[in-house]
Each structure stands twice: as C-alpha cells, then as structure tokens.
Amino acid sequence: MRTTSTPTHCPYCALQCGMALSPLPTGGVEVVERPDFPVNRGALCGKGRTAPAVLAPGVRLTSPLVRSGDALVPASWEEALDRIARELTRVRSTYGADALGVFGGGGLTNEKAYALGKFARVVLGTSQIDYNGRFCMSSAAAGGIKAFGLDRGLPFPMEDIPRTGCVILVGSNLAETMPPSLRFFHELRENGGTLIVVDPRRTRTAEQADLHLAPRPGTDLALALGLLHLVVAEGRVDEEYVAARTTGWEDARAAAMAHWPEYVERITGVSVPELREVVRLFCEPENAMVLTARGPEQQSKGTDTVGAWINLCLATGRAGRPLSGYGCLTGQGNGQGGREHGQKADQLPGYRKLDDPAARRHVAEVWGVDPDTLPGPGRSAYELLDALGTDVKSLLLMGSNPIVSAPRAAHVEERIGSLDFLAVCDVVLSETAALADVVLPVTQWAEETGTTTSLEGRVLLRRQALTPPDGVRSDLEVLHELAARLGVEKGFPTDPEEVFEELRRASAGGIADYSGITYRRLAEENGVFWPCPTPAPASASPASASPASTSAVHPGTPRLFLDRFATPDGRARFVPVSHRPAAEEPDEEYPVLLTTGRVVSQYQSGAQTRRVDELNAAAPGPFVELHPRLAARLGAAEGDPVAVVSRRGRAVAPARITTGIRPDTVFMPFHWPGEGRANTLTNPALDPTSRMPEFKVCAVRVEIATP
C-alpha cells in the first residue's frame, strides 16, 4: 500500500479541484487538502470531501451482471463481453450499422471519450454517437464558435475574475454548483469590483451580488438585447474596437434597437431603472466580463441567447482584452474535453468537424483507416434517445443516467425499455443500468489514471491512488476486448498514456490542439491550457508527425483572443438575434413556469452522490420551491406534498415556500428518480443550432397532491 498521498482531482464538477488521496490503514483512501492547485487552493465542497465513499465495498459494482428473465445476475467477464459482442453483431447484421447507438458522458476522461468515439466509428461503423454533455454547454459552444471561431468554456483562467471591474453572472448558482469558485467573486468585490447576478431565484449566489435581477424564465435573450439597446442609446459603444476587431455590427445593432427598455421590461419583469444600472456598472470600469451557465443556455433559443450576451461584450470592447471577455461556466467534470475528442455526434478529435474532408483525412490517417469508411454526423443526444427502439435497436452506454437526467424522462425510459439490447458501463447500478441486459463494473476516478479538461481549458492529470477491486476493469479494457471480439485486434490500447499519445497526434493542428501536452508536463506544471501545439518538422505531414519529434515546447494558452480571434480574418463576428418566446408558454391549463437546477449536496442525476450518507442527510430528496402567494392560492403549507404537472407528466414533492422565487415560477432540483423526478416534466424542444433541450423553462400547473 502507498504510504504517501497521491495528488489528483475531484471527480465531480468542471472546476476539477485539486485534492490528494491518502491511504487509510483499514484500506481505501481519505481526501486531504492540496493547496498547491490554484483553482481551489485546497478548499473542497462536501461532494469532493466525501467522494471516496462511492468506491466503498457494498456501494460500487464489483461484478458484471447479465439479465436472466427479469433479474440481473452476476456473470464472468468473458460471458458478459461475449454477450455484448454477439448482440452488437446480430443487430448490425440485421438492421445495419446505424442501428447501433453509443451514448457517452461528460465525466469520462479524455482518453475514454477519444477511445469511445473511435470505437463507434471504426469498430461499429455507426454515426449514432452522442453524449450527455450535449445537455450541458452545447449552446454556449455554438454561440462561441459563431462569434469567436472557437469554443472553450473560459477564455481566461479563473484567477482573472477578481481583477476585473464587473462580472455579469447569468443563470448560475455557483455557490451550490461549484462552491470553491465563490471565493473568486468574493475577491472581486473586495477589490472594488461589482457582481451582478441574473436568476429568477434569489439563490445563495444571488445573495452575494451587488445587484440581483430576477427575470421571468426564458427571457434572458430579451434582457441581453435590452442592455445592448441602452449601450447604443447612451453612447457607450467602443466604436474603435468594433471597427478594428469585429464584423457584422450594423445588423446586430439594428436587431438590438428593436428591443427598447420598456418593451424588455414587459417581457422580462426587470425594471428600466435596473436595466440602466446594469449598463452603468458594466460599462464604467475599464474591464468587465459576462459569464453564463445553464440558465440562459438550456433553452430552445440558447445559442441566440449566448450570442446576445457576446454581442454585449463585443459592442463594449470586452472580449479579447486582458481581464475582460465572455465565458461559460462548464458543468460536468470533463464536459469540455469530453466533446473535444470525438464522442459528440458531429465532431472528431481536436474539435474537428466530422463533415470536413481535411479533418476526416487527418484523423483517418492517425487511425489507419480509409477516410471514406468513417460515417458522417449522427443524431444529437435527445434525438438519439428518442430514436431508441425504432431506428436505433441497441445502445452501449458509458457514464450516463438518462432515465433521470434527460428531458421528457418518462418517454426516454420507455424508449430505453424498447431496445433490443442495452449494455451499460458504470461504477454503480444507476436507474438506467438497472434496465440493462449487461452491466459492466468499471473503474472510476481514484482507481485509474487519465486526463480531464477543466472549465478554464486547463488539461489536468488524474492519478490512480487505489487498486480496483477484483472483478472491476477500466472502460479502456472494455473497448479493447469488445473491439477484438468484433474483429479489430489493434488500435485500442488499455494504457491511458498510450491512448493520450495517440490523442495528441489526432488533435494536432485542430482547434483543440493537445499535441504539445504530455503526462510529464501535466504532472510538473499543474496542468496545461490548450491550444498547446508542438510544431512538426517541415518535411512531415500533420497527421504523421510525432508531437515528440521536435524540442520546441509551447507554453499553453491561458488567455485566448488577445491578438486575434479564431476566425479566418481574425475578427469576432456579431450575430444579429431577436427575442422569441419559449417553446412552451403558460396558458389557462398550465399557468405557471417551471425551472430546474441543482442543490449543493447532490450532483447531476445523483447516481453517485445519492449513495453517500452525509450528502443524503443534507439533501434527502426532491422539493418544489414556490412563492408564498402561489402557495396561498393553492392552500399549501411548508412540507405539504404538491404535484407539478406538465404536458409530459406529473411529479410530486414537498413544498418549500420562499420569497426568493418569482410568484409565477416554481423550481425543482433534478437529482432524483421516482415520483419526484423533475425531468418527467421538462420540455425536449431543441435549439435549432446546438440541439440543446429546453430544460430551463416549461409550462406547468401546481396542485395539492392527492393519493
């Protein structure tokens, strides 16, 4: 057993807080502080502190399970893998390659995400692969690519936040979703800066703000346009910057001028004086930032909403300058890296587009295949889930629990139940895994080595601190064994560093270029920011050049866009956008708005955190947050069971009455299955660009629950 602690990173959110794991005399590990990592300086939330509890005997899976009748029973690895390979072969021969679906997760390491995308396209030959990160920041990604030519959660490190003059934080309750980050905003205010929080609820984060705006859910786009209107009307546009570093301003300006303050007040509920105060606070300092999260992004107009906030930054000269810019607070632990390297429906490693012939040639050469054999783009996450049992007959799922986390969850559960075959790789028996035909117990976090990419774009090295229990294998071993059974003997190594070396070559020259990053550098430098290219020798093609073939060392790129944006001409693009209603607005039958989110002691679908006693004691179950006026109309008291009903289903949970929410809105956290499952209610209406479902707003009615 190791006698010294192992430096690593938390398995949960995209902060990827540094921690160390120290061995216990009785076995297992405990978390100890690691103050050398700059993002959290040793601080951890309750989820991070208790993370090893999920790996305890009796909590995690330790044997493959196969379905026998209505039950899952233990099986050998050979039996389980053989069954998966046999069923995948049967489905492909009967229905074709695109009847094979693959669904990944934003918690998978870069190595796993890379190998999973390669497995789908090279071994299975299917286009039907996507991942749950589509539900995270795909709208911000689409908006960033349109405006800047590149998507990275934050184009600057977190340490820049306390040094700016003003931050507008839109739709993020980071005091609960990533608590260690709150200190950056405390330091911002201590340094004389201003924090503005936009959220329909008065959250723990909003309580820290200098100004809290509580717009009606689904109106963030109108709010941003109203602010830009005032920037123009008050003569606050940075005309020199707009002329030198952007294109498309006139059309964006015309679109914004159609959203005058009184009109925006009627749409959003935010008063004209508040709008004017935001513009003053944002424009008067030399530097300022806008940071968005799931609130404005998880909408059927999320890409346009992000675009409107970016336009505000561009018009005021607050992008591509030190201590200024637009950024997105990524949610999942590897939500950034997870989409950069191939498990997203339309992307290849290095953030290359699957429909780009040059990208296909480059990656195919690294993989040793004919580019013409690579399938084209497939369905987005919800569309893939919606097609299960009809066009898609089998599903290989890694690191996701869509029965709890997907919109219109009862329908998704029904679709999963209609599959010919479902195989799940997970550390615990999630609600989705419980429906599988085969469940494989796989290593996670402390039991394996691998890289993740944080919300800053900082590539990090997680180190193995524990020997996995007998009967547990890594996802890389699973893909290696399945590939061999399906006729591909080479190309799927089980050593994560070997996979990363191939990932470096595949990403070389791409937008997300990792070719200059090595495990050694990650260990020595506390992470490296991408893009980090290593120049290839002039005689070598990008695909064939080894990143180690030159002594040049790129320092990484903590701050993007300071010299130019990642567009062909180096200029940022204004994108003209206009407000439009949510896909589903209240009416007589469903007169109230529902919005959803997280609580501090649970994480995502709760598959792991709901197995930790300390976290369950703090957050034991779902609830419905509603305003006293709405509660009085219903006759509901604190703790009474109330039913929230949408066009898609019904959820029941205790009432939590608070003046910290709008009277026309109710809130439910989405961590729990069963009758309190918030995603039973949510609307799968998709953003036309990002294919993000509209989790954050739908029409409901609220009533006293009856047996």
Side-chain angles (χ1 to χ4, degrees), residues 82-217:
D82 286 347
R83 184 165 174 181
I84 295 173
R86 186 169 60 249
E87 289 297 319
L88 296 180
T89 299
R90 179 188 62 80
V91 168
R92 182 168 59 184
S93 63
T94 304
Y95 303 105
D98 273 356
L100 303 174
V102 178
F103 199 87
L108 301 182
T109 62
N110 289 317
E111 292 81 0
K112 293 179 184 181
Y114 172 84
L116 187 62
K118 180 180 179 182
F119 178 84
R121 295 178 175 108
V122 172
V123 178
L124 300 182
T126 183
S127 67
Q128 300 304 301
I129 175 172
D130 210 64
Y131 83 129
N132 63 15
R134 177 78 66 172
F135 300 155
C136 178
M137 58 174 290
S138 57
S139 291
I145 290 169
K146 283 187 176 185
F148 307 133
L150 182 152
D151 151 47
R152 196 179 85 184
L154 296 182
F156 41 73
M158 297 285 286
E159 66 190 40
D160 284 1
I161 291 171
R163 301 161 57 206
T164 194
C166 176
V167 173
I168 302 178
L169 186 63
V170 190
S172 172
N173 183 15
L174 51 80
E176 299 203 53
T177 59
M178 43 183 65
S181 71
L182 196 60
R183 70 172 178 83
F184 292 105
F185 299 89
H186 287 158
E187 292 172 8
L188 165 73
R189 298 182 70 203
E190 290 169 359
N191 292 340
T194 302
L195 175 62
I196 301 168
V197 170
V198 179
D199 198 302
R201 304 167 61 223
R202 188 161 182 80
T203 63
R204 294 183 187 181
T205 307
E207 289 173 353
Q208 309 297 315
D210 297 282
L211 179 62
H212 170 220
L213 307 182
R216 184 175 179 269

Side-chain angles (χ1 to χ4, degrees), residues 443-656:
T443 55
Q444 292 290 318
W445 177 56
E447 302 168 343
E448 62 186 10
T449 293
T451 62
T452 61
T453 306
S454 75
L455 80 170
E456 301 177 297
R458 189 194 304 249
V459 184
L460 302 165
L461 181 63
R462 288 185 188 167
R463 299 167 176 88
Q464 182 180 354
L466 277 175
T467 300
D470 291 340
V472 175
R473 299 184 184 180
S474 74
D475 294 279
L476 295 179
E477 290 177 285
V478 170
L479 295 175
H480 172 85
E481 292 290 341
L482 288 177
R485 282 167 169 79
L486 294 168
V488 180
E489 298 286 344
K490 297 181 179 180
F492 291 88
T494 60
D495 176 55
E497 188 168 7
E498 188 176 346
V499 176
F500 189 78
E501 288 300 303
E502 183 177 301
L503 182 157
R504 293 173 63 204
R505 298 197 307 274
S507 73
I511 292 173
D513 191 333
Y514 284 28
S515 63
I517 303 174
T518 64
Y519 271 30
R520 180 175 177 176
R521 285 192 65 182
L522 295 178
E524 293 176 349
E525 300 176 32
N526 244 339
V528 178
F529 291 85
W530 72 260
C532 182
T534 297
S539 60
S541 69
S544 61
S546 167
S549 60
T550 175
S551 60
V553 176
H554 190 285
T557 314
R559 296 169 182 86
L560 297 171
F561 312 138
L562 296 182
D563 299 318
R564 57 178 285 123
F565 294 97
T567 56
D569 62 3
R571 292 171 173 260
R573 278 35 174 161
F574 280 98
V575 178
V577 293
S578 297
H579 171 72
R580 60 183 185 274
E584 187 176 81
E585 292 286 346
D587 56 21
E588 289 186 6
E589 187 176 3
Y590 301 98
V592 177
L593 290 168
L594 168 70
T595 193
T596 65
R598 287 168 48 189
V599 297
V600 67
S601 293
Q602 300 289 352
Y603 181 73
Q604 303 299 71
S605 76
Q608 295 185 37
T609 52
R610 285 187 275 110
R611 288 167 165 80
V612 179
D613 291 342
E614 179 181 329
L615 301 178
N616 283 332
F623 57 86
V624 179
E625 190 176 275
L626 65 164
H627 191 275
R629 278 159 46 187
L630 178 56
R633 290 204 303 272
L634 296 172
E638 180 77 13
D640 284 352
V642 295
V644 183
V645 184
S646 78
R647 290 177 173 85
R648 290 154 294 282
R650 181 175 188 263
V652 178
R656 183 174 293 183

